[in-house]
């Protein structure tokens, strides 16, 4: 291997498998004792399952405990799941709830230190060094993304530009003038930047950009290719969720063969989302995470709803930490079309990017001659209505092209009149699957 | 000189055209010219009416997707080559015709054709300087 391999914490990231397991067991016992003492929600779970922290003798014993779900967090809103008094909490973050209340999470000083360390690890793995100028185009605020990457960059000694999200023209100006070399944003925003660069005639080679660290939403390998070509960078994926910590849970090394999961801080299981059964190594299923070192907001067997697969082989980069495949989307709304996992959110993003507005849409999945078909019906509105047929058809063609790239399956786009897509309690019904009728 | 044309998105299903004309008829709006460009899935209906702002309002109320476009109406001699000479003139001035359609009514011996150009102002100056008659908008909406 000719790529330079920088490892932030060599001892932790190359620990032999057996030692990882021993460390996990020790830390899991500590975490279970902590929550059994401090968090009523977990006290109830221990009581109901008849399992006591002292009964844990192997990592597999954890299976006796029930899962923690988003519903537990909702019931315990806002601070019910915290394991330390507020005077020890130095930071609050929260995730936007699509329905109802958001999820509130807290960090102690040590938690922030761990977070910083884990982000520094994956940023180093993605090629960032103290020579870099890191352009953080995540939104600074309650969302964990920006702060996590910010701390990690500073720990590495890179120069941080906390540009924040939005204002694409200004982003490009700063990127040109300040010579940003590492870009941090969502993959869809990366494409927005690429589009704008093309429009303004900015060649990728004229920028100092070298690497892009993309996260906060699922994205495809096709999108990686597009981002790398159009921005002239090496694009890597990273993973995290605020309930667990934020970014830093896992991140790709430059070999781009899965995201190294910080197993010394998190214990990962993959389960069948329907039955809850733990699946054998290498299976695709829902990722379940248990925090092993968190103080303020420990999570036991938290159902992430993200679909992925874990690979425990030692990576060519030397890291022993398991690699997590790019997430394939969420369990809640996944569709399998021609064997490919498709998520309505991906379609939403594509439509949003094309004209900068979010039209109502509906997916019609059908099967003809044993072949799945996907039709995306889009309600026309005045932003995407053109008086000229040529432009109107071009819109459809562009949408179909972009969908095929992002989804990995072809989709037919059909424009329909406003208000023709049925709504339920004000929300459009997103998917109609006629295959099983 | 510019005329406001109303464009409406309609799905290609039976009865939609009649619904549009029905909505306008009920409100007392008269349609002066009409053209439909369509594909197998959808169509763009273009109308010249006597009160375009009112038409825009009632169609929007009925949740149609509507837009207003500037077009011009030209008197074209109803003789062989009448249209060709106008198209050649526009071509010489690098003005492109996006689409055109004819009016049912005529003015004397001349046909009226509605044009949508990529550059309306350039088209107007080229045409007027060569003596082509462009109809004032109030003429068109009151024919
Ligand atoms: Zn690796």
């Amino acid at each position: 291997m000719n790529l330079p391999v920088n490892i932030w914490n060599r001892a932790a990231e190359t620990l032999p498998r057996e030692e990882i397991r021993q460390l996990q067991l020790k830390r899991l016992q500590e975490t279970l004792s902590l929550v059994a003492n401090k968090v009523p929600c977990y006290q109830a779970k221990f009581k109901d399952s008849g399992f006591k922290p002292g009964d844990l003798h192997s990592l597999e014993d954890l299976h006796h405990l029930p899962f923690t779900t988003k519903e537990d967090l909702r019931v315990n809103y806002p601070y019910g799941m915290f394991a330390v008094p507020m005077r020890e909490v130095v930071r609050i973050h929260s995730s936007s709830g699509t329905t109802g209340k958001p999820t509130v999470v807290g960090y102690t000083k040590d938690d922030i230190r761990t977070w910083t360390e884990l982000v520094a690890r994956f940023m180093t793995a993605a090629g960032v060094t103290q020579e870099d100028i890191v352009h953080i185009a995540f939104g600074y605020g309650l969302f964990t993304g920006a702060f996590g990457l910010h701390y990690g960059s500073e720990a590495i000694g890179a120069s941080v530009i906390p540009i924040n999200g939005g204002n694409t023209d200004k982003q490009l100006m700063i990127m040109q003038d300040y010579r940003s070399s590492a870009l941090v944003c969502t993959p869809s925003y990366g494409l927005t930047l690429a589009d704008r660069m093309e429009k303004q005639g900015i060649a990728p080679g004229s920028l100092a950009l070298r690497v892009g660290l993309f996260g906060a939403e699922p994205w495809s390998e096709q999108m990686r290719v597009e981002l790398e070509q159009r921005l002239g960078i090496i694009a890597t994926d990273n993973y995290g969720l605020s309930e667990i910590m934020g970014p830093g849970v896992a991140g790709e090394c430059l070999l781009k063969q899965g995201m190294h999961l910080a197993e010394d801080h998190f214990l990962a299981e993959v389960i069948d989302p329907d039955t809850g059964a733990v699946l054998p190594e290498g299976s695709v299923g829902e990722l379940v995470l248990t925090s092993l070192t968190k103080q303020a907001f420990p999570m036991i067997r938290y159902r992430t709803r993200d679909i992925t697969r874990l690979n425990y082989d030692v990576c060519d980069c030397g890291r022993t930490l398991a690699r997590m495949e790019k997430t394939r989307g969420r369990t809640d709304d996944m569709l399998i079309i021609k064997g490919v996992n498709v998520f309505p959110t991906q379609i939403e993003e594509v439509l949003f990017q094309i004209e900068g507005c979010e039209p109502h849409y509906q997916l019609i999945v059908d099967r003809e001659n044993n072949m799945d078909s996907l039709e995306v019906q889009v309600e026309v509105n005045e932003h995407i209505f053109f008086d000229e047929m040529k432009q109107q058809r071009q819109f459809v063609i562009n949408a179909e092209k972009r969908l095929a790239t992002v989804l990995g399956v072809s989709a037919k786009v059909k424009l329909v009149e406003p208000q023709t897509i049925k709504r339920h309690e004000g929300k459009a019904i997103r998917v109609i699957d006629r295959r099983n009728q | 000189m510019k005329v406001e044309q109303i464009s409406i998105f309609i799905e290609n299903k039976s009865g939609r055209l009649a619904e549009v004309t029905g909505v306008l008829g009920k409100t007392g709006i008269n349609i002066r010219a009409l053209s439909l460009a369509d594909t197998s899935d959808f169509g763009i209906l273009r109308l010249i009416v006597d009160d375009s702002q009112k038409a825009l309002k009632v169609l929007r109320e009925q949740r149609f997707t509507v837009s207003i476009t500037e077009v011009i109406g030209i008197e074209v001699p109803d003789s062989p080559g009448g249209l060709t000479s106008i198209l050649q003139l526009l071509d010489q001035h690098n003005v492109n015709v996006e689409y055109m359609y004819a009016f049912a009514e005529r003015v004397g011996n001349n046909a009226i054709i509605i044009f949508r150009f990529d550059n309306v102002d350039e088209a107007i100056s080229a045409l007027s300087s060569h003596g082509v008659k462009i109809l004032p908008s109030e003429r068109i909406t009151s024919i």
Side-chain angles (χ1 to χ4, degrees):
Chain A
M1 211 191 75
N2 295 321
L3 289 166
V5 178
N6 289 323
I7 299 184
W8 180 254
N9 184 338
R10 191 167 288 273
E13 295 177 72
T14 62
L15 203 61
R17 174 63 33 199
E18 199 35 52
E19 290 178 42
I20 295 176
R21 288 178 60 87
Q22 282 168 16
L23 181 64
Q24 286 182 320
L25 182 61
K26 176 176 156 277
R27 290 181 166 177
L28 181 57
Q29 282 162 337
E30 290 164 3
T31 299
L32 292 187
S33 309
L34 170 71
V35 298
N37 278 322
K38 307 281 186 188
V39 186
C41 168
Y42 287 117
Q43 286 164 348
K45 284 183 195 288
F46 280 117
K47 204 173 157 219
D48 294 347
S49 62
F51 185 82
K52 291 184 284 297
D55 298 335
L56 187 95
H57 301 297
S58 76
L59 292 174
E60 286 68 32
D61 286 340
L62 185 62
H63 302 175
H64 297 292
L65 271 176
F67 297 112
T68 304
T69 63
K70 196 105 187 167
E71 177 63 12
D72 290 311
L73 307 188
R74 197 189 62 76
V75 171
N76 290 286
Y77 176 87
Y79 297 140
M81 302 292 279
F82 282 30
V84 296
M86 285 309 279
R87 66 169 182 278
E88 287 178 38
V89 172
V90 299
R91 172 69 60 75
I92 308 282
H93 274 291
S94 84
S95 67
S96 60
T98 40
T99 48
K101 296 279 193 187
T103 302
V104 184
V105 301
Y107 301 75
T108 63
K109 277 185 186 169
D110 281 346
D111 289 335
I112 295 275
R113 250 175 244 132
T114 306
W115 191 17
T116 303
E117 145 91 16
L118 298 190
V119 176
R121 281 190 197 175
F122 87 75
M123 292 188 78
T124 302
V128 176
T129 71
Q130 60 181 353
E131 308 294 329
D132 277 299
I133 298 178
V134 184
H135 186 101
I136 300 181
F138 275 144
Y140 279 77
L142 284 173
F143 167 63
T144 51
F147 283 97
L149 273 292
H150 188 112
Y151 297 149
S153 305
E154 287 188 348
I156 290 172
S159 320
V160 180
I161 304 175
I163 176 91
N164 214 334
N167 201 344
T168 306
D169 288 333
K170 188 175 164 198
Q171 301 258 357
L172 287 179
M173 184 199 80
I174 286 184
M175 229 178 250
Q176 286 177 304
D177 297 350
Y178 300 8
R179 311 302 293 158
S180 313
S181 62
L183 171 65
V184 172
C185 63
T186 61
S188 54
Y189 192 66
L191 288 181
T192 302
L193 283 167
D195 287 342
R196 192 66 61 91
M197 277 165 59
E198 238 158 59
K199 221 169 168 182
Q200 296 189 5
I202 302 171
S206 71
L207 299 176
L209 276 191
R210 209 168 59 70
V211 292
L213 289 75
F214 301 100
E217 66 192 22
W219 50 301
S220 64
E221 282 301 325
Q222 286 98 318
M223 260 172 107
R224 181 184 335 248
V225 172
E226 202 180 330
L227 285 165
E228 292 194 330
Q229 287 175 349
R230 296 179 64 196
L231 293 171
I233 54 169
I234 299 171
T236 54
D237 194 4
N238 63 79
Y239 174 82
L241 62 173
S242 63
E243 298 93 311
I244 296 301
M245 187 181 72
V249 174
E252 277 179 332
C253 65
L254 290 169
L255 294 172
K256 299 185 275 198
Q257 286 168 1
M259 297 179 276
H260 288 288
L261 202 141
E263 288 183 278
D264 47 342
H265 294 271
F266 307 104
L267 178 66
E269 301 168 90
V270 172
I271 64 161
D272 177 330
D274 295 325
T275 63
V278 177
L279 298 173
E281 222 180 278
S283 311
V284 173
E286 179 181 346
L287 180 69
V288 170
L289 290 171
T290 298
S291 70
L292 299 174
T293 54
K294 277 177 76 188
Q295 298 174 338
F297 196 79
M299 278 283 110
I300 309 299
R301 303 196 88 196
Y302 183 68
R303 291 189 64 158
T304 64
R305 295 192 277 182
D306 289 313
I307 301 284
T308 187
R309 185 202 329 236
L310 297 175
N311 174 0
Y312 288 90
D313 296 342
V314 175
C315 182
D316 285 342
C317 72
R319 289 178 182 83
T320 51
L321 301 176
R323 279 167 289 163
M324 167 184 166
E325 265 185 12
K326 276 177 150 312
T327 59
R328 302 171 178 213
R330 316 276 295 170
T331 53
D332 335 11
D333 46 23
M334 186 176 84
L335 285 164
I336 300 177
I337 298 169
K338 293 179 192 162
V340 177
N341 298 328
V342 170
F343 298 90
T345 46
Q346 294 172 290
I347 289 156
E348 225 157 89
E349 279 157 25
V350 168
L351 296 176
F352 185 78
Q353 282 158 25
I354 296 174
E355 279 300 317
C357 67
E358 204 167 292
H360 276 291
Y361 69 91
Q362 187 171 57
L363 312 182
I364 315 273
V365 190
D366 212 335
R367 184 169 283 153
E368 284 168 58
N369 307 323
N370 292 317
M371 277 287 279
D372 292 344
S373 66
L374 170 64
E375 179 175 281
V376 182
Q377 297 195 346
V378 179
E379 275 187 8
V380 165
N381 60 45
E382 291 181 9
H383 296 281
I384 56 170
F385 173 50
F386 307 94
D387 159 66
E388 281 157 37
M389 197 41 108
K390 203 168 49 187
Q391 271 177 285
Q392 195 68 65
R393 293 174 69 152
Q394 196 56 50
F395 171 81
V396 172
I397 292 167
N398 288 347
E400 286 179 344
K401 254 198 216 151
R402 183 58 81 82
L403 283 170
T405 307
V406 172
L407 304 180
V409 289
S410 59
K412 175 184 167 24
V413 170
K414 185 181 181 196
L415 297 176
V416 299
E417 286 174 23
Q419 303 293 318
T420 48
I421 291 172
K422 284 202 182 64
R423 284 145 170 89
H424 177 67
E425 288 170 356
K427 284 190 108 179
I429 299 164
R430 289 297 180 218
V431 180
I432 292 183
D433 197 335
R434 297 196 180 122
R435 289 177 295 187
N436 303 317
Q437 289 171 5
Chain B
M1 285 196 186
K2 295 172 193 167
V3 184
E4 285 186 339
Q5 169 197 264
I6 296 207
S7 302
I8 305 145
F9 178 89
I10 52 172
E11 260 179 81
N12 243 347
K13 51 189 184 191
S14 60
R16 288 308 277 164
L17 196 54
E19 277 171 50
V20 174
T21 55
V23 167
L24 296 176
K26 251 185 260 165
T27 333
I29 295 166
N30 288 313
I31 297 171
R32 299 301 181 197
L34 174 154
S35 118
L36 178 67
D38 64 351
T39 67
S40 54
D41 285 340
F42 66 87
I44 300 170
L45 177 66
R46 304 180 185 117
L47 300 174
I48 307 284
V49 297
D50 54 359
D51 188 341
S52 52
Q53 287 306 324
K54 193 169 162 196
L56 191 67
K57 188 167 165 280
V58 295
L59 287 169
R60 277 189 177 143
E61 277 166 11
Q62 296 299 314
R63 297 188 184 276
F64 282 99
T65 301
V66 202
S67 71
I68 288 226
T69 314
E70 286 181 336
V71 294
I72 60 176
I74 298 174
E75 272 189 49
V76 179
D78 197 8
S79 59
L83 181 59
T84 313
S85 60
I86 289 175
L87 292 177
Q88 280 167 347
L89 176 62
L90 292 164
D91 197 37
Q92 282 157 17
H93 287 83
N94 287 321
V95 176
N96 289 310
V97 177
E98 304 286 2
Y99 53 81
M100 51 188 251
Y101 53 96
F103 240 65
E105 323 280 328
R106 353 172 104 245
V107 178
N109 274 331
N110 290 345
I112 302 168
I113 296 186
I114 300 291
F115 281 87
R116 165 71 182 163
F117 298 113
D118 56 351
N119 186 340
V120 187
D121 294 318
E122 177 67 27
I124 291 174
S125 81
L127 292 167
S128 354
S129 66
H130 287 80
V132 176
K133 260 197 184 168
I134 300 170
L135 286 161
S137 61
E138 47 301 344
R139 259 312 281 293
I140 290 185
T141 51
S142 63
I143 283 172

